[in-house]
Amino acid sequence: MAVRSARRERGSTRVDPRLLIGLALVAGSSLGIWALVEALDGTREVLVAPATLTPGTRVEAASLRVESVRLGALADGYLGPDDLPEGGLVVVRTVQAGELLPAASVADRERADLAVVVVTSSRPLPGEVAPGALVDVWTAAEVERGAFEPPVVLVPGAEVAAVAESDGMMSTGGPTVELLIPREKTAALLEALAAGDAVDLVPATGAVRD
């Protein structure tokens, strides 16, 4: 009986707890490395404006800063170094210094025929008139003091680049708006502004700019 008991003891397997602890540490380390690699794989190189970019500015990859950021599902909304074609793109919406370059803020060179004109609305702006919105520019010529001709649409589908409310208690002007308009409309709008015509901006319902 004693011989059988000794054989059973010699044949049994005992697991050293230190081995289990070591395996757990290795597994934990492997998971940590995997998580780090996944996090690094989730980053993407994007373009950053080194200075404020205003509408009409032509930008190329060499004139912008490149940073690696993690954007997740938002990545498609921003441009990377390989997204700019040879010859660059034209800024159509203001990008502040240090901001990532949104895809919607630039357009191809065909849109270089846009001009930036600053107008002061004669009335408060509707809430939907904000950067990126499309508006129709209505003007009415003053025929005599306080009397105006029927208003007409001078520039349809102008894009709002920026909006600034008038400051100061003594200010008599309305909101100041930067508009992107076709260059062929620039002379007519500047003439209306110089003549003191009333200017109103109305959201361009259903207007779409290519």
Side-chain angles (χ1 to χ4, degrees), residues 39-167:
L40 292 176
D41 288 343
T43 62
R44 177 188 171 188
E45 287 190 337
V46 294
L47 297 171
V48 180
T52 298
L53 304 175
T54 55
T57 303
R58 192 180 306 282
V59 292
E60 299 180 355
S63 63
L64 300 169
R65 196 168 72 240
V66 178
E67 292 186 8
S68 294
V69 296
R70 193 175 183 185
L71 295 173
L74 301 177
D76 291 341
Y78 297 91
L79 297 183
D82 297 332
D83 295 327
L84 289 184
E86 185 177 354
L89 294 172
V90 177
V91 177
V92 295
R93 299 181 187 174
T94 300
V95 181
Q96 299 297 329
E99 286 188 6
L100 306 184
L101 187 65
S105 68
V106 293
D108 57 33
R109 300 179 68 177
E110 294 180 358
R111 293 191 61 181
D113 60 350
L114 296 176
V116 180
V117 178
V118 178
V119 303
T120 299
S121 176
S122 59
R123 304 173 188 271
L125 296 175
E128 57 266 41
V129 176
L134 299 182
V135 296
D136 293 331
V137 182
W138 290 74
T139 62
E142 188 175 19
V143 292
E144 57 183 67
R145 188 173 184 82
F148 294 85
E149 293 180 350
V152 296
V153 177
L154 187 61
V155 183
E159 184 173 340
V160 178
V163 179
E165 295 291 339
S166 298
D167 297 326

Side-chain angles (χ1 to χ4, degrees), residues 7-62:
R7 287 177 179 175
R8 284 198 299 269
E9 290 179 359
R10 287 196 298 270
S12 63
T13 302
R14 297 182 62 188
V15 179
D16 191 336
R18 291 174 295 180
L19 177 60
L20 295 177
I21 294 174
L23 291 174
L25 291 175
V26 171
S29 176
S30 299
L31 288 174
I33 294 174
W34 176 82
L36 178 60
V37 171
E38 284 293 309
L40 292 176
D41 288 343
T43 62
R44 177 188 171 188
E45 287 190 337
V46 294
L47 297 171
V48 180
T52 298
L53 304 175
T54 55
T57 303
R58 192 180 306 282
V59 292
E60 299 180 355

